[in-house]
Amino acid sequence: MTAHRRGPAFWIGAALGWALILFGLRGVLQHSLDTRPSQLARFWIAGALTHDLLLAPLTLALGVTLARAVPGRWRATLQRTLIICAPLALFAYPEVRGYAHILRNPTSLPHNYTANLVLVLAAVAGLSAAVALISARRRPSTVSGRSPTGRGRGGRLRLWSRPRRAGGRARRPR
Amino acid sequence: MMRTADRLRRRVPVRLQTRLGDAFGTWTTDPDLPLRQHAYQSPLRDERLAAWLGATLGILFTTCFVTGLYSHLHQHPQSWLPLPARPAGLFRFTQGLHVACGIASLPVLLAKLWVVWPRFVSFPPGRRIADAIERLGVLALVTGGIFQVFSGIANIAQWYPWHFSFTAAHYWTAWITIGAVIAHVGAKAPITARAVRRRKHRPALADADPVLGTTAEGVHDGLDRRGFLVSVAAASGVLTLVTVGQTLPGLRRLALLAPRDPADRPVNRSARNAGVIAATTSPDYRLRIEGRVSTPLTFTLAQLQALPAHTADLPVACVEGWSYSARWTGVRLTDLVAMAGAPADAEVRVESLEEHSPYRTSFLNRFQAHDRDTLLATHLDGRPLSDDHGYPLRLIAPGRPGVNQTKWVTKVVVL
């Protein structure tokens, strides 16, 4: 993956790391009554596939859509808000769904998690907007429709533009 | 052979040959470059971000592994490593840290995966043996990391969409994940060291990593690298803030998304779910002391309550990360086994009326069994134990996981 020559750190790390990985795999197989290896393997693979084929593409699509829809000056605020809110929503999902209630343990999930999640998300969004407004006031005014840096065009998609280097053209990937 | 190849080439139309060549160029890349690398030049995908996020995740995962191993040793005691009973709040601290680090790693893991995602889809996976070893290690790291964070969060919310044992699966996958972390650290150590160096000591980003670094130092709308890192840190911070009150009393009011409220004096298993209510409320209830003793003893509840009582302030710390301190009153375990004539350094097994649970018994080593605060408690905060808290008798000892503080105790076996 990396072009540099593999040093001793790579081989020492690989030897030690793979010894532990194999120890873990052996444990999974040895305690198969508890670990149910085939089902566990399905969960391992499903987790990675869910990220690679669902979560990451959805995030990419959402980013593209928002980049088209949201003016450049607000993009950072929106990104910041979503980066904080998305993990909160993911974390709270099993609580909002109330899966623990099936165990009939009165001390499990004692709150109204839907209301609490909405409250936390609203607080994050409000705080993020307040920070953006305050920093916009502190910054010197910019040309209308342009980003504060003066280079980006607000509201237009510039997802993978190249940097402008001092010498002129951007360097291409080797 | 050459003739056959030439003949084939002549038969295939030039246009098709060009298309095939283009497709091959599109879908295969140098192993050092990701698939269609031009499509992934987001300003938020660069080597330094990957390095900082990776280092943070490495610290969080290592903390989780070490604290998890400590918890495992409590639940699966080893005779060659008797764990100390003191400090009384040590397990509360380590397990609170374990769960807090696990929760905090959710945004960091997602951000790290986002930054390095183009790497996952590079094809072919490698042209050297070292590439293949590294890719397999990354596969173990990604699958293990996602599983550990997902299963941990699901477990604290008591959501079990699987049929395997959570503790066994989480424990063995932890070894796989930490092994993959070590292999990854070995592979990325030079890059990480270079990337986190001070600005004047490090090379230009585009020179360092043409794949991930070509655009990161350009000017863009939206978050820059520092803004992205700050946002991820804020996400971890907010998640911690709204959950850690389940173990830190000072932040209880902010624990809006914590699965438990310590003020409720939560329990992990109710008496009804354990199926013990009939046995605990029966007039036939007895506590028996047996095993390696000179005089096996049997006590009724009234006889136990007539023995000298002691009070201790001890925490109940669940492996799910919640905890609370309470005042417990009951009989010292060491006094009871001494009455039966057990050796002064005897180890002890405590058994519950609960029949079908992996935690129906618990083991106390010599330090834990003879600690002055290890009690068979009858009262919690001055009131008789409720059914859910282990009426008529429960074990409470310093520095142990909640699952080992056996409830509904009916037998003490001296080993």
Side-chain angles (χ1 to χ4, degrees), chain B residues 2 24 27-28 79 88-89 97 139 154 159 214 221 237 239 267 270 292 329 341 350 365 371 384 403:
Chain B
M2 282 298 289
F24 188 78
W27 295 104
T28 65
S79 57
L97 187 66
L139 182 68
W159 175 33
T214 45
D221 288 333
L239 258 177
V267 294
S270 66
R292 202 157 60 94
T329 306
V350 174
N365 64 35
D371 190 278
V403 288

Side-chain angles (χ1 to χ4, degrees), chain A residues 89-130:
Chain A
L90 277 177
F91 174 83
Y93 173 77
E95 297 174 331
V96 169
R97 294 295 306 268
Y99 291 115
H101 292 147
I102 199 170
L103 298 174
R104 293 180 300 181
N105 180 344
T107 62
S108 275
L109 305 187
H111 307 305
N112 179 346
Y113 289 93
T114 308
N116 284 4
L117 178 63
V118 170
L119 188 69
V120 174
L121 295 184
V124 169
L127 203 64
S128 192

